[in-house]
Amino acid sequence: MTTPSPADPRTPALGLADAVRQGDRRALARAITLIESTRPDHRAQAEALLDALLPHTGNSVRVGISGVPGVGKSTFIEAFGLHVIGLGHKVAVLAIDPSSQRTGGSILGDKTRMVELSRNAGAFIRPSPAGATLGGVARRTREAMLVCEAAGFDVIVVETVGVGQSETAVADMVDLFLLLLLPAGGDELQGIKKGIVELADLVVVNKADGDLVAAARHAVAEYRHALAFLKPAVPDWRVPVLSCSAATNSGIDAVWATIGEHRAVGERSGARDARRAEQAGAWLWSEIRETLIDAFRAHPAVRTALPELEGRVRGGSLVPTAAARSLLERFRGG
Amino acid sequence: MTTPSPADPRTPALGLADAVRQGDRRALARAITLIESTRPDHRAQAEALLDALLPHTGNSVRVGISGVPGVGKSTFIEAFGLHVIGLGHKVAVLAIDPSSQRTGGSILGDKTRMVELSRNAGAFIRPSPAGATLGGVARRTREAMLVCEAAGFDVIVVETVGVGQSETAVADMVDLFLLLLLPAGGDELQGIKKGIVELADLVVVNKADGDLVAAARHAVAEYRHALAFLKPAVPDWRVPVLSCSAATNSGIDAVWATIGEHRAVGERSGARDARRAEQAGAWLWSEIRETLIDAFRAHPAVRTALPELEGRVRGGSLVPTAAARSLLERFRGG
């Protein structure tokens, strides 16, 4: 890239990039705020920022974590983060919260969830932006991940709530997708939406402590059996099922060791780089698709005609292809 | 709709619509050929045709059938079709073949597969169009389904090969998605891609005959166990696991009876109408998305710039959002 003149609106972004690179935490927070902004001039600055930071990204283990409410996700991430920081790493926790539109991001955004981790100098916790759509959150979370990497965080945790809307988005931006489960099989599993277990690279049964030790052991066996029916997404990697207790801090080391094994296997086979190249390509196309459809929905002539046409299609009195053509003619008309 | 004048290019479509309605099989075949055409004037005629036929559609049981190669799909569909015709129904078999681009549609298009069924006056078998993309095939198959319904076919079978690219498209256009499985659990199941079992409303283990009767019984038990972990997609409907032998014609009656139960449950709860309204709405949006992205890809300025930008994104030297914005500016530029 060329060096911009002082009058270039992107210049502040480059100063911010330097500060991020030097590990300035307030700069990091400001950089992510800039990325989350929808103002066009901010978007231009955000792009300049990312362009400057890109050569310094990619050097982290990217871990997605999901699980239904009640599985102990916050406790797990706190125990996991502190363990990993204890080994000399720096951990950033980002959230994708499909409910943030309704709740203002309170479920995942509440910093009081991970008190000890959030106070640790080796950790950076960033809640979901309030009021954003899932697509928007996912787009910006990918960029925030890059900024955290440039700031020297070498373990990135992208967490989401296990209700089935956001897991695919998370799995599509990480090296390893970890699914947290309750120490119970059968009916309990039914809180997990279709297809979520299949996304996992690693399954961990949490709460394997106290009265639940036997139940956890049983659940591990059940999930191993169920997972034996699934084809592995990564060559040379059979999805392991572990148990742990985040509350008593047991089994967390084995989870981290298994993430290390997954990384080693993926680096050896080239699967990790291939997955990242695939993710970047898919991200490009999802940006294109989302921006196109946003422009379509926002088009005045489309907005005027859409409700009636969509209603007729759903009611079975208009063929979808005909409705689509009619709307697209309005869109391309100007 | 208004009555077109004789000079209206849509007039021939209306004559064709009448012939289709009267059960003229050559008219039916011509109607589907018209629908599959990508010529703009043909698309306009196809829309007029569908518009005219739409009031006479919807009165069928729409069944999707999938299974890996070797599961005996053709034999099953033949036995199933003949059974249902024997009960007084008319059966149309349509195919969505993700491999058709490579093979010219030979896998599913080969009419010699279902010799007896294809000769039966109560059946209509239509192979996939050769050379079409999956998206294109799925779009046209939805329309072909409506044409077959207007022609009086009251059981529509949409078949696909169980390799994971087309099952979702099929499940999104039918009332019931039937997955055919081999009489074997564990490793054998791994030929089925992630998420396919979860799409099923009904699972049938085929080849339960001869030496394989015990294996089939065992497989039924295994799949019942595995499916117990999944949340039902339809209220009041636990996905049944049956076995049959298409070769010896045993168990086919129970499959049809179960499809009838599914229909009754769905009609009672309103789930079937809700699913169809949902499918029509999703079809509208998928038409819009596909047409938008087609226009984007075909745009000369996009085509010129895309390979280099996409390569840099995949290689990690360009942020996807920046590449997307650059391409979209070219697209909207003219």
Side-chain angles (χ1 to χ4, degrees), chain A residues 15-319:
Chain A
L16 188 55
D18 283 341
V20 166
R21 287 266 293 137
Q22 282 152 28
D24 178 340
R25 300 174 69 90
R26 287 174 67 184
L28 174 58
R30 270 201 297 135
I32 296 179
T33 302
L34 179 65
I35 277 169
E36 288 168 359
S37 171
T38 53
R39 267 175 52 185
D41 58 326
H42 285 175
R43 282 311 301 155
Q45 285 182 45
E47 276 184 28
L49 173 75
L50 288 164
D51 194 26
L53 293 178
L54 194 63
H56 312 289
T57 64
N59 304 312
S60 80
V61 181
R62 301 169 178 173
V63 180
I65 297 183
S66 185
V68 295
V71 77
K73 204 150 61 289
S74 304
T75 317
F76 176 83
I77 292 172
E78 180 155 72
F80 177 81
L82 292 170
H83 174 74
V84 170
I85 289 168
L87 298 172
H89 297 282
K90 288 180 70 184
V91 178
V93 180
L94 306 169
I96 292 187
D97 182 357
S99 66
S100 63
Q101 210 167 5
R102 281 198 307 278
T103 64
S106 62
I107 292 180
L108 295 172
D110 186 356
K111 277 204 182 186
T112 62
R113 288 186 309 145
M114 305 178 206
V115 178
E116 207 185 329
L117 187 63
S118 65
R119 284 179 189 152
N120 192 297
F124 176 79
I125 300 179
R126 180 75 181 197
S128 274
T133 62
L134 171 58
V137 176
R139 285 151 92 176
R140 301 295 92 92
T141 303
R142 285 189 172 97
E143 296 179 340
M145 186 166 74
L146 298 180
V147 176
C148 290
E149 287 178 344
F153 290 89
D154 61 345
V155 179
I156 314 285
V157 172
V158 183
E159 71 161 319
T160 191
V161 69
V163 293
Q165 292 163 280
S166 49
E167 279 75 7
T168 308
V170 172
D172 284 349
M173 68 177 75
V174 297
D175 301 323
L176 177 141
F177 184 71
L178 186 163
L179 182 63
L180 275 184
L181 294 174
L182 290 163
D187 291 341
E188 281 75 7
L189 234 182
Q190 297 186 20
I192 299 164
K193 289 271 177 180
K194 284 187 175 194
I196 302 303
V197 175
E198 289 74 7
L199 291 173
D201 300 294
L202 172 57
V203 170
V204 178
V205 176
N206 193 21
K207 302 195 176 180
D209 50 45
D211 292 347
L212 294 172
V213 170
R217 197 181 309 123
H218 194 70
V220 167
E222 284 221 42
Y223 292 112
R224 277 189 187 142
H225 182 80
L227 284 163
F229 282 84
L230 299 171
K231 190 186 171 76
V234 179
D236 310 327
W237 187 255
R238 268 238 150 265
V239 176
V241 182
L242 306 176
S243 66
C244 79
S245 163
T248 68
N249 219 4
S250 76
I252 303 294
D253 47 352
V255 171
W256 177 243
T258 304
I259 291 172
E261 281 167 37
H262 180 264
R263 182 180 196 170
V265 167
E267 283 178 348
R268 208 157 47 226
S269 69
R272 194 193 67 160
D273 289 348
R275 180 164 172 171
R276 285 187 173 186
E278 204 54 55
Q279 288 172 340
W283 177 7
L284 169 64
W285 282 104
S286 99
E287 280 286 332
I288 290 169
R289 282 171 206 276
E290 286 179 33
T291 311
L292 276 174
I293 207 79
D294 285 352
F296 178 85
R297 285 182 189 273
H299 194 283
V302 171
R303 290 174 64 151
T304 307
L306 183 61
E308 192 224 328
L309 292 177
E310 192 168 12
R312 288 180 56 203
V313 163
R314 291 182 61 96
S317 72
L318 180 63
V319 183

